[in-house]
mmCIF file of all heavy atoms in Angstrom:
data_model
loop_
_atom_site.group_PDB
_atom_site.id
_atom_site.type_symbol
_atom_site.label_atom_id
_atom_site.label_comp_id
_atom_site.label_asym_id
_atom_site.label_seq_id
_atom_site.Cartn_x
_atom_site.Cartn_y
_atom_site.Cartn_z
ATOM 1 N N PHE A 1 -67.871 -139.067 1.297
ATOM 2 C CA PHE A 1 -66.901 -139.784 2.119
ATOM 3 C C PHE A 1 -67.462 -139.959 3.526
ATOM 4 O O PHE A 1 -68.075 -139.040 4.081
ATOM 5 C CB PHE A 1 -65.578 -139.022 2.175
ATOM 6 C CG PHE A 1 -64.820 -139.037 0.871
ATOM 7 C CD1 PHE A 1 -65.110 -138.123 -0.138
ATOM 8 C CD2 PHE A 1 -63.814 -139.970 0.653
ATOM 9 C CE1 PHE A 1 -64.423 -138.141 -1.334
ATOM 10 C CE2 PHE A 1 -63.113 -139.993 -0.539
ATOM 11 C CZ PHE A 1 -63.422 -139.085 -1.537
ATOM 12 N N SER A 2 -67.231 -141.136 4.076
ATOM 13 C CA SER A 2 -67.734 -141.446 5.412
ATOM 14 C C SER A 2 -66.661 -142.184 6.195
ATOM 15 O O SER A 2 -66.006 -143.088 5.659
ATOM 16 C CB SER A 2 -69.003 -142.307 5.306
ATOM 17 O OG SER A 2 -69.472 -142.675 6.590
ATOM 18 N N HIS A 3 -66.468 -141.792 7.457
ATOM 19 C CA HIS A 3 -65.458 -142.433 8.297
ATOM 20 C C HIS A 3 -66.137 -143.314 9.335
ATOM 21 O O HIS A 3 -67.169 -142.955 9.903
ATOM 22 C CB HIS A 3 -64.591 -141.388 9.003
ATOM 23 C CG HIS A 3 -63.455 -141.981 9.768
ATOM 24 N ND1 HIS A 3 -62.315 -142.460 9.163
ATOM 25 C CD2 HIS A 3 -63.300 -142.210 11.097
ATOM 26 C CE1 HIS A 3 -61.487 -142.930 10.082
ATOM 27 N NE2 HIS A 3 -62.066 -142.791 11.258
ATOM 28 N N CYS A 4 -65.546 -144.490 9.556
ATOM 29 C CA CYS A 4 -66.082 -145.441 10.520
ATOM 30 C C CYS A 4 -65.013 -145.758 11.564
ATOM 31 O O CYS A 4 -63.838 -145.921 11.235
ATOM 32 C CB CYS A 4 -66.485 -146.744 9.831
ATOM 33 S SG CYS A 4 -67.611 -146.533 8.445
ATOM 34 N N HIS A 5 -65.443 -145.861 12.815
ATOM 35 C CA HIS A 5 -64.505 -146.167 13.897
ATOM 36 C C HIS A 5 -64.407 -147.680 14.077
ATOM 37 O O HIS A 5 -64.696 -148.230 15.138
ATOM 38 C CB HIS A 5 -64.942 -145.481 15.190
ATOM 39 C CG HIS A 5 -64.895 -143.992 15.100
ATOM 40 N ND1 HIS A 5 -63.713 -143.276 15.081
ATOM 41 C CD2 HIS A 5 -65.888 -143.077 14.987
ATOM 42 C CE1 HIS A 5 -63.976 -141.980 14.974
ATOM 43 N NE2 HIS A 5 -65.282 -141.831 14.912
ATOM 44 N N ARG A 6 -64.018 -148.338 13.003
ATOM 45 C CA ARG A 6 -63.722 -149.764 13.054
ATOM 46 C C ARG A 6 -62.656 -150.056 12.014
ATOM 47 O O ARG A 6 -62.419 -149.239 11.120
ATOM 48 C CB ARG A 6 -64.974 -150.602 12.820
ATOM 49 C CG ARG A 6 -65.668 -150.385 11.494
ATOM 50 C CD ARG A 6 -67.000 -151.118 11.509
ATOM 51 N NE ARG A 6 -67.581 -151.254 10.193
ATOM 52 C CZ ARG A 6 -68.870 -151.122 9.943
ATOM 53 N NH1 ARG A 6 -69.696 -150.838 10.921
ATOM 54 N NH2 ARG A 6 -69.345 -151.298 8.720
ATOM 55 N N ASP A 7 -62.050 -151.221 12.097
ATOM 56 C CA ASP A 7 -60.897 -151.507 11.246
ATOM 57 C C ASP A 7 -61.293 -151.703 9.791
ATOM 58 O O ASP A 7 -60.578 -151.269 8.889
ATOM 59 C CB ASP A 7 -60.162 -152.746 11.755
ATOM 60 C CG ASP A 7 -58.851 -152.969 11.022
ATOM 61 O OD1 ASP A 7 -58.032 -152.026 11.006
ATOM 62 O OD2 ASP A 7 -58.656 -154.055 10.461
ATOM 63 N N ARG A 8 -62.447 -152.360 9.523
ATOM 64 C CA ARG A 8 -62.882 -152.626 8.161
ATOM 65 C C ARG A 8 -64.377 -152.369 8.023
ATOM 66 O O ARG A 8 -65.153 -152.645 8.932
ATOM 67 C CB ARG A 8 -62.569 -154.072 7.758
ATOM 68 C CG ARG A 8 -61.097 -154.332 7.418
ATOM 69 C CD ARG A 8 -60.700 -153.682 6.102
ATOM 70 N NE ARG A 8 -59.347 -154.032 5.699
ATOM 71 C CZ ARG A 8 -58.271 -153.311 5.964
ATOM 72 N NH1 ARG A 8 -58.390 -152.187 6.671
ATOM 73 N NH2 ARG A 8 -57.084 -153.685 5.535
ATOM 74 N N PHE A 9 -64.767 -151.865 6.869
ATOM 75 C CA PHE A 9 -66.165 -151.592 6.571
ATOM 76 C C PHE A 9 -66.775 -152.683 5.698
ATOM 77 O O PHE A 9 -67.947 -153.021 5.834
ATOM 78 C CB PHE A 9 -66.263 -150.235 5.858
ATOM 79 C CG PHE A 9 -67.662 -149.854 5.450
ATOM 80 C CD1 PHE A 9 -68.518 -149.262 6.355
ATOM 81 C CD2 PHE A 9 -68.114 -150.089 4.157
ATOM 82 C CE1 PHE A 9 -69.819 -148.903 5.995
ATOM 83 C CE2 PHE A 9 -69.404 -149.740 3.774
ATOM 84 C CZ PHE A 9 -70.257 -149.149 4.701
ATOM 85 N N GLN A 10 -65.960 -153.227 4.769
ATOM 86 C CA GLN A 10 -66.453 -154.227 3.827
ATOM 87 C C GLN A 10 -65.324 -155.198 3.501
ATOM 88 O O GLN A 10 -64.161 -154.907 3.770
ATOM 89 C CB GLN A 10 -66.997 -153.550 2.555
ATOM 90 C CG GLN A 10 -65.997 -152.687 1.807
ATOM 91 C CD GLN A 10 -66.648 -151.812 0.731
ATOM 92 O OE1 GLN A 10 -67.809 -151.455 0.804
ATOM 93 N NE2 GLN A 10 -65.871 -151.472 -0.287
ATOM 94 N N PRO A 11 -65.650 -156.363 2.899
ATOM 95 C CA PRO A 11 -64.623 -157.405 2.754
ATOM 96 C C PRO A 11 -63.566 -157.148 1.690
ATOM 97 O O PRO A 11 -62.498 -157.761 1.718
ATOM 98 C CB PRO A 11 -65.442 -158.660 2.414
ATOM 99 C CG PRO A 11 -66.721 -158.136 1.836
ATOM 100 C CD PRO A 11 -66.994 -156.844 2.539
ATOM 101 N N VAL A 12 -63.852 -156.285 0.721
ATOM 102 C CA VAL A 12 -62.894 -155.993 -0.354
ATOM 103 C C VAL A 12 -62.855 -154.489 -0.589
ATOM 104 O O VAL A 12 -63.676 -153.737 -0.046
ATOM 105 C CB VAL A 12 -63.269 -156.724 -1.670
ATOM 106 C CG1 VAL A 12 -63.089 -158.222 -1.527
ATOM 107 C CG2 VAL A 12 -64.694 -156.379 -2.096
ATOM 108 N N CYS A 13 -61.915 -154.070 -1.432
ATOM 109 C CA CYS A 13 -61.751 -152.636 -1.687
ATOM 110 C C CYS A 13 -63.010 -152.006 -2.254
ATOM 111 O O CYS A 13 -63.436 -150.938 -1.824
ATOM 112 C CB CYS A 13 -60.578 -152.428 -2.651
ATOM 113 S SG CYS A 13 -60.259 -150.709 -3.089
ATOM 114 N N THR A 14 -63.621 -152.667 -3.243
ATOM 115 C CA THR A 14 -64.771 -152.089 -3.932
ATOM 116 C C THR A 14 -65.943 -153.061 -3.948
ATOM 117 O O THR A 14 -65.781 -154.225 -4.316
ATOM 118 C CB THR A 14 -64.406 -151.716 -5.378
ATOM 119 O OG1 THR A 14 -63.323 -150.781 -5.367
ATOM 120 C CG2 THR A 14 -65.586 -151.100 -6.097
ATOM 121 N N VAL A 15 -67.097 -152.562 -3.541
ATOM 122 C CA VAL A 15 -68.342 -153.321 -3.642
ATOM 123 C C VAL A 15 -69.278 -152.560 -4.573
ATOM 124 O O VAL A 15 -69.561 -151.375 -4.349
ATOM 125 C CB VAL A 15 -69.004 -153.533 -2.268
ATOM 126 C CG1 VAL A 15 -70.381 -154.203 -2.440
ATOM 127 C CG2 VAL A 15 -68.118 -154.387 -1.363
ATOM 128 N N ASN A 16 -69.715 -153.224 -5.632
ATOM 129 C CA ASN A 16 -70.631 -152.622 -6.600
ATOM 130 C C ASN A 16 -72.079 -152.836 -6.163
ATOM 131 O O ASN A 16 -72.429 -153.874 -5.603
ATOM 132 C CB ASN A 16 -70.436 -153.244 -7.986
ATOM 133 C CG ASN A 16 -69.131 -152.842 -8.635
ATOM 134 O OD1 ASN A 16 -68.390 -152.016 -8.110
ATOM 135 N ND2 ASN A 16 -68.829 -153.425 -9.778
ATOM 136 N N TYR A 17 -72.902 -151.836 -6.488
ATOM 137 C CA TYR A 17 -74.337 -151.904 -6.193
ATOM 138 C C TYR A 17 -75.081 -151.705 -7.509
ATOM 139 O O TYR A 17 -75.413 -150.588 -7.888
ATOM 140 C CB TYR A 17 -74.708 -150.846 -5.149
ATOM 141 C CG TYR A 17 -74.132 -151.170 -3.795
ATOM 142 C CD1 TYR A 17 -72.817 -150.850 -3.476
ATOM 143 C CD2 TYR A 17 -74.892 -151.867 -2.849
ATOM 144 C CE1 TYR A 17 -72.275 -151.193 -2.245
ATOM 145 C CE2 TYR A 17 -74.354 -152.203 -1.610
ATOM 146 C CZ TYR A 17 -73.050 -151.869 -1.316
ATOM 147 O OH TYR A 17 -72.517 -152.211 -0.095
ATOM 148 N N PRO A 18 -75.325 -152.795 -8.231
ATOM 149 C CA PRO A 18 -75.821 -152.672 -9.606
ATOM 150 C C PRO A 18 -77.322 -152.436 -9.733
ATOM 151 O O PRO A 18 -77.808 -152.258 -10.847
ATOM 152 C CB PRO A 18 -75.438 -154.022 -10.221
ATOM 153 C CG PRO A 18 -75.395 -154.966 -9.075
ATOM 154 C CD PRO A 18 -74.970 -154.174 -7.884
ATOM 155 N N ASN A 19 -78.056 -152.423 -8.637
ATOM 156 C CA ASN A 19 -79.504 -152.406 -8.796
ATOM 157 C C ASN A 19 -80.178 -151.191 -8.147
ATOM 158 O O ASN A 19 -80.078 -150.099 -8.672
ATOM 159 C CB ASN A 19 -80.075 -153.737 -8.308
ATOM 160 C CG ASN A 19 -79.557 -154.896 -9.171
ATOM 161 O OD1 ASN A 19 -79.727 -154.887 -10.379
ATOM 162 N ND2 ASN A 19 -78.893 -155.859 -8.570
ATOM 163 N N GLU A 20 -80.814 -151.320 -6.988
ATOM 164 C CA GLU A 20 -81.713 -150.272 -6.514
ATOM 165 C C GLU A 20 -81.028 -148.998 -6.027
ATOM 166 O O GLU A 20 -81.587 -147.909 -6.121
ATOM 167 C CB GLU A 20 -82.593 -150.823 -5.373
ATOM 168 C CG GLU A 20 -83.556 -151.903 -5.788
ATOM 169 C CD GLU A 20 -82.901 -153.286 -5.805
ATOM 170 O OE1 GLU A 20 -81.715 -153.381 -5.395
ATOM 171 O OE2 GLU A 20 -83.559 -154.254 -6.236
ATOM 172 N N GLU A 21 -79.841 -149.107 -5.481
ATOM 173 C CA GLU A 21 -79.207 -147.962 -4.838
ATOM 174 C C GLU A 21 -78.866 -146.861 -5.843
ATOM 175 O O GLU A 21 -78.594 -147.135 -7.009
ATOM 176 C CB GLU A 21 -77.937 -148.403 -4.114
ATOM 177 C CG GLU A 21 -78.162 -149.348 -2.949
ATOM 178 C CD GLU A 21 -78.370 -150.789 -3.369
ATOM 179 O OE1 GLU A 21 -78.290 -151.067 -4.588
ATOM 180 O OE2 GLU A 21 -78.613 -151.631 -2.493
ATOM 181 N N ALA A 22 -78.856 -145.621 -5.373
ATOM 182 C CA ALA A 22 -78.500 -144.496 -6.250
ATOM 183 C C ALA A 22 -77.009 -144.492 -6.561
ATOM 184 O O ALA A 22 -76.588 -144.009 -7.613
ATOM 185 C CB ALA A 22 -78.901 -143.171 -5.602
ATOM 186 N N TYR A 23 -76.194 -144.993 -5.642
ATOM 187 C CA TYR A 23 -74.750 -145.058 -5.876
ATOM 188 C C TYR A 23 -74.414 -146.348 -6.601
ATOM 189 O O TYR A 23 -75.157 -147.335 -6.554
ATOM 190 C CB TYR A 23 -73.968 -144.948 -4.557
ATOM 191 C CG TYR A 23 -74.473 -145.806 -3.427
ATOM 192 C CD1 TYR A 23 -74.057 -147.125 -3.273
ATOM 193 C CD2 TYR A 23 -75.377 -145.293 -2.493
ATOM 194 C CE1 TYR A 23 -74.517 -147.911 -2.233
ATOM 195 C CE2 TYR A 23 -75.850 -146.067 -1.447
ATOM 196 C CZ TYR A 23 -75.416 -147.374 -1.325
ATOM 197 O OH TYR A 23 -75.880 -148.154 -0.285
ATOM 198 N N THR A 24 -73.280 -146.332 -7.295
ATOM 199 C CA THR A 24 -72.862 -147.516 -8.049
ATOM 200 C C THR A 24 -71.865 -148.379 -7.285
ATOM 201 O O THR A 24 -71.789 -149.586 -7.527
ATOM 202 C CB THR A 24 -72.215 -147.128 -9.391
ATOM 203 O OG1 THR A 24 -71.217 -146.126 -9.159
ATOM 204 C CG2 THR A 24 -73.259 -146.616 -10.372
ATOM 205 N N ARG A 25 -71.090 -147.771 -6.401
ATOM 206 C CA ARG A 25 -70.118 -148.568 -5.665
ATOM 207 C C ARG A 25 -69.658 -147.842 -4.416
ATOM 208 O O ARG A 25 -69.788 -146.616 -4.303
ATOM 209 C CB ARG A 25 -68.919 -148.928 -6.541
ATOM 210 C CG ARG A 25 -68.135 -147.758 -7.100
ATOM 211 C CD ARG A 25 -66.999 -148.251 -8.014
ATOM 212 N NE ARG A 25 -66.247 -147.156 -8.606
ATOM 213 C CZ ARG A 25 -65.162 -147.306 -9.356
ATOM 214 N NH1 ARG A 25 -64.698 -148.513 -9.598
ATOM 215 N NH2 ARG A 25 -64.526 -146.266 -9.869
ATOM 216 N N ILE A 26 -69.115 -148.626 -3.492
ATOM 217 C CA ILE A 26 -68.486 -148.097 -2.279
ATOM 218 C C ILE A 26 -67.042 -148.591 -2.273
ATOM 219 O O ILE A 26 -66.783 -149.786 -2.457
ATOM 220 C CB ILE A 26 -69.200 -148.566 -0.999
ATOM 221 C CG1 ILE A 26 -70.668 -148.104 -0.993
ATOM 222 C CG2 ILE A 26 -68.476 -148.039 0.234
ATOM 223 C CD1 ILE A 26 -71.469 -148.642 0.190
ATOM 224 N N THR A 27 -66.110 -147.677 -2.073
ATOM 225 C CA THR A 27 -64.689 -148.020 -2.033
ATOM 226 C C THR A 27 -64.135 -147.795 -0.637
ATOM 227 O O THR A 27 -64.364 -146.740 -0.028
ATOM 228 C CB THR A 27 -63.895 -147.169 -3.038
ATOM 229 O OG1 THR A 27 -64.348 -147.460 -4.362
ATOM 230 C CG2 THR A 27 -62.401 -147.461 -2.947
ATOM 231 N N GLU A 28 -63.433 -148.790 -0.129
ATOM 232 C CA GLU A 28 -62.722 -148.668 1.146
ATOM 233 C C GLU A 28 -61.221 -148.678 0.851
ATOM 234 O O GLU A 28 -60.660 -149.690 0.441
ATOM 235 C CB GLU A 28 -63.092 -149.811 2.085
ATOM 236 C CG GLU A 28 -62.448 -149.682 3.448
ATOM 237 C CD GLU A 28 -62.878 -150.779 4.408
ATOM 238 O OE1 GLU A 28 -63.519 -151.757 3.961
ATOM 239 O OE2 GLU A 28 -62.552 -150.674 5.608
ATOM 240 N N PHE A 29 -60.570 -147.546 1.060
ATOM 241 C CA PHE A 29 -59.226 -147.324 0.532
ATOM 242 C C PHE A 29 -58.140 -148.123 1.236
ATOM 243 O O PHE A 29 -57.111 -148.448 0.622
ATOM 244 C CB PHE A 29 -58.910 -145.827 0.569
ATOM 245 C CG PHE A 29 -59.853 -145.007 -0.253
ATOM 246 C CD1 PHE A 29 -60.912 -144.339 0.334
ATOM 247 C CD2 PHE A 29 -59.723 -144.944 -1.629
ATOM 248 C CE1 PHE A 29 -61.801 -143.606 -0.429
ATOM 249 C CE2 PHE A 29 -60.606 -144.215 -2.400
ATOM 250 C CZ PHE A 29 -61.649 -143.537 -1.795
ATOM 251 N N LYS A 30 -58.327 -148.441 2.506
ATOM 252 C CA LYS A 30 -57.276 -149.161 3.233
ATOM 253 C C LYS A 30 -56.992 -150.528 2.618
ATOM 254 O O LYS A 30 -55.886 -151.053 2.765
ATOM 255 C CB LYS A 30 -57.658 -149.307 4.708
ATOM 256 C CG LYS A 30 -57.469 -148.032 5.518
ATOM 257 C CD LYS A 30 -57.985 -148.162 6.937
ATOM 258 C CE LYS A 30 -57.184 -149.143 7.749
ATOM 259 N NZ LYS A 30 -57.651 -149.184 9.170
ATOM 260 N N HIS A 31 -57.957 -151.106 1.918
ATOM 261 C CA HIS A 31 -57.723 -152.395 1.276
ATOM 262 C C HIS A 31 -56.626 -152.297 0.216
ATOM 263 O O HIS A 31 -55.797 -153.196 0.087
ATOM 264 C CB HIS A 31 -59.002 -152.897 0.606
ATOM 265 C CG HIS A 31 -60.015 -153.460 1.543
ATOM 266 N ND1 HIS A 31 -59.902 -154.719 2.093
ATOM 267 C CD2 HIS A 31 -61.162 -152.922 2.033
ATOM 268 C CE1 HIS A 31 -60.947 -154.939 2.872
ATOM 269 N NE2 HIS A 31 -61.726 -153.875 2.862
ATOM 270 N N CYS A 32 -56.650 -151.217 -0.563
ATOM 271 C CA CYS A 32 -55.701 -151.124 -1.670
ATOM 272 C C CYS A 32 -54.408 -150.412 -1.303
ATOM 273 O O CYS A 32 -53.352 -150.697 -1.872
ATOM 274 C CB CYS A 32 -56.349 -150.467 -2.891
ATOM 275 S SG CYS A 32 -56.874 -148.752 -2.676
ATOM 276 N N THR A 33 -54.456 -149.485 -0.357
ATOM 277 C CA THR A 33 -53.239 -148.742 -0.010
ATOM 278 C C THR A 33 -52.338 -149.513 0.940
ATOM 279 O O THR A 33 -51.146 -149.228 1.028
ATOM 280 C CB THR A 33 -53.592 -147.399 0.645
ATOM 281 O OG1 THR A 33 -54.292 -147.639 1.887
ATOM 282 C CG2 THR A 33 -54.464 -146.548 -0.273
ATOM 283 N N GLY A 34 -52.925 -150.461 1.679
ATOM 284 C CA GLY A 34 -52.144 -151.189 2.672
ATOM 285 C C GLY A 34 -51.899 -150.393 3.936
ATOM 286 O O GLY A 34 -51.142 -150.826 4.815
ATOM 287 N N GLN A 35 -52.535 -149.246 4.063
ATOM 288 C CA GLN A 35 -52.317 -148.386 5.222
ATOM 289 C C GLN A 35 -52.838 -149.055 6.501
ATOM 290 O O GLN A 35 -53.911 -149.659 6.510
ATOM 291 C CB GLN A 35 -53.023 -147.043 5.029
ATOM 292 C CG GLN A 35 -52.786 -146.061 6.164
ATOM 293 C CD GLN A 35 -53.577 -144.768 5.987
ATOM 294 O OE1 GLN A 35 -54.508 -144.718 5.201
ATOM 295 N NE2 GLN A 35 -53.211 -143.730 6.710
ATOM 296 N N GLU A 36 -52.078 -148.927 7.559
ATOM 297 C CA GLU A 36 -52.511 -149.385 8.877
ATOM 298 C C GLU A 36 -52.751 -148.157 9.736
ATOM 299 O O GLU A 36 -51.842 -147.377 10.012
ATOM 300 C CB GLU A 36 -51.469 -150.299 9.509
ATOM 301 C CG GLU A 36 -51.266 -151.607 8.742
ATOM 302 C CD GLU A 36 -50.279 -152.532 9.412
ATOM 303 O OE1 GLU A 36 -49.833 -152.212 10.542
ATOM 304 O OE2 GLU A 36 -49.938 -153.570 8.820
ATOM 305 N N ALA A 37 -54.006 -147.966 10.134
ATOM 306 C CA ALA A 37 -54.389 -146.802 10.916
ATOM 307 C C ALA A 37 -55.710 -147.114 11.599
ATOM 308 O O ALA A 37 -56.498 -147.921 11.096
ATOM 309 C CB ALA A 37 -54.541 -145.566 10.020
ATOM 310 N N PRO A 38 -55.979 -146.502 12.737
ATOM 311 C CA PRO A 38 -57.263 -146.738 13.404
ATOM 312 C C PRO A 38 -58.414 -146.136 12.593
ATOM 313 O O PRO A 38 -58.307 -145.048 12.040
ATOM 314 C CB PRO A 38 -57.105 -146.010 14.747
ATOM 315 C CG PRO A 38 -56.011 -145.010 14.532
ATOM 316 C CD PRO A 38 -55.094 -145.618 13.525
ATOM 317 N N GLY A 39 -59.501 -146.891 12.482
ATOM 318 C CA GLY A 39 -60.646 -146.418 11.717
ATOM 319 C C GLY A 39 -60.460 -146.648 10.227
ATOM 320 O O GLY A 39 -59.391 -147.061 9.761
ATOM 321 N N THR A 40 -61.496 -146.371 9.476
ATOM 322 C CA THR A 40 -61.446 -146.549 8.027
ATOM 323 C C THR A 40 -62.379 -145.551 7.361
ATOM 324 O O THR A 40 -63.378 -145.128 7.944
ATOM 325 C CB THR A 40 -61.829 -147.996 7.637
ATOM 326 O OG1 THR A 40 -61.570 -148.202 6.250
ATOM 327 C CG2 THR A 40 -63.303 -148.280 7.906
ATOM 328 N N THR A 41 -62.035 -145.149 6.135
ATOM 329 C CA THR A 41 -62.845 -144.196 5.379
ATOM 330 C C THR A 41 -63.302 -144.845 4.084
ATOM 331 O O THR A 41 -62.517 -145.520 3.413
ATOM 332 C CB THR A 41 -62.037 -142.922 5.063
ATOM 333 O OG1 THR A 41 -61.655 -142.291 6.291
ATOM 334 C CG2 THR A 41 -62.870 -141.939 4.232
ATOM 335 N N VAL A 42 -64.573 -144.641 3.750
ATOM 336 C CA VAL A 42 -65.134 -145.185 2.515
ATOM 337 C C VAL A 42 -65.705 -144.036 1.687
ATOM 338 O O VAL A 42 -66.003 -142.957 2.198
ATOM 339 C CB VAL A 42 -66.236 -146.230 2.791
ATOM 340 C CG1 VAL A 42 -65.668 -147.393 3.585
ATOM 341 C CG2 VAL A 42 -67.429 -145.614 3.505
ATOM 342 N N ALA A 43 -65.848 -144.302 0.393
ATOM 343 C CA ALA A 43 -66.428 -143.309 -0.527
ATOM 344 C C ALA A 43 -67.591 -143.949 -1.269
ATOM 345 O O ALA A 43 -67.444 -145.008 -1.884
ATOM 346 C CB ALA A 43 -65.384 -142.808 -1.516
ATOM 347 N N TYR A 44 -68.746 -143.289 -1.180
ATOM 348 C CA TYR A 44 -69.908 -143.669 -1.971
ATOM 349 C C TYR A 44 -69.841 -142.908 -3.291
ATOM 350 O O TYR A 44 -69.633 -141.689 -3.298
ATOM 351 C CB TYR A 44 -71.195 -143.311 -1.241
ATOM 352 C CG TYR A 44 -71.456 -144.097 0.019
ATOM 353 C CD1 TYR A 44 -70.737 -143.844 1.192
ATOM 354 C CD2 TYR A 44 -72.418 -145.107 0.049
ATOM 355 C CE1 TYR A 44 -70.972 -144.557 2.351
ATOM 356 C CE2 TYR A 44 -72.664 -145.823 1.209
ATOM 357 C CZ TYR A 44 -71.941 -145.549 2.360
ATOM 358 O OH TYR A 44 -72.170 -146.268 3.512
ATOM 359 N N GLU A 45 -70.018 -143.607 -4.395
ATOM 360 C CA GLU A 45 -69.820 -143.026 -5.723
ATOM 361 C C GLU A 45 -71.144 -142.916 -6.472
ATOM 362 O O GLU A 45 -71.847 -143.917 -6.647
ATOM 363 C CB GLU A 45 -68.833 -143.894 -6.502
ATOM 364 C CG GLU A 45 -68.420 -143.343 -7.846
ATOM 365 C CD GLU A 45 -67.269 -144.134 -8.448
ATOM 366 O OE1 GLU A 45 -66.340 -144.515 -7.689
ATOM 367 O OE2 GLU A 45 -67.308 -144.381 -9.663
ATOM 368 N N TYR A 46 -71.448 -141.693 -6.902
ATOM 369 C CA TYR A 46 -72.706 -141.412 -7.583
ATOM 370 C C TYR A 46 -72.432 -140.891 -8.995
ATOM 371 O O TYR A 46 -71.843 -139.815 -9.157
ATOM 372 C CB TYR A 46 -73.510 -140.354 -6.827
ATOM 373 C CG TYR A 46 -73.923 -140.735 -5.439
ATOM 374 C CD1 TYR A 46 -73.052 -140.565 -4.358
ATOM 375 C CD2 TYR A 46 -75.195 -141.251 -5.181
ATOM 376 C CE1 TYR A 46 -73.429 -140.911 -3.065
ATOM 377 C CE2 TYR A 46 -75.591 -141.591 -3.892
ATOM 378 C CZ TYR A 46 -74.699 -141.417 -2.841
ATOM 379 O OH TYR A 46 -75.082 -141.751 -1.556
#
C-alpha cells in the first residue's frame, strides 16, 4: 500500500500491468468507494 498527497493517482480504479512488471495491477480505492478525502491510497498487487 502506498499513499500519495494528491487527489488522484490514476484515471480508473484498477490499472492492469500484463507484461514486464512484477505486480499485476494497481488499485486506487477512492474511485470505487466514492470517498472524498485529501490524498489517495493505492495497492500494488503481487
Side-chain angles (χ1 to χ4, degrees):
F1 290 84
S2 177
H3 186 76
C4 306
H5 295 288
R6 60 189 195 220
D7 188 55
R8 283 289 186 266
F9 178 83
Q10 59 192 26
V12 292
C13 179
T14 301
V15 174
N16 289 355
Y17 291 82
N19 297 304
E20 294 84 5
E21 295 80 3
Y23 46 87
T24 50
R25 60 183 178 175
I26 300 175
T27 297
E28 184 177 11
F29 300 99
K30 283 174 67 176
H31 283 283
C32 64
T33 63
Q35 183 184 16
E36 295 183 6
T40 189
T41 298
V42 300
Y44 293 74
E45 186 170 320
Y46 298 84

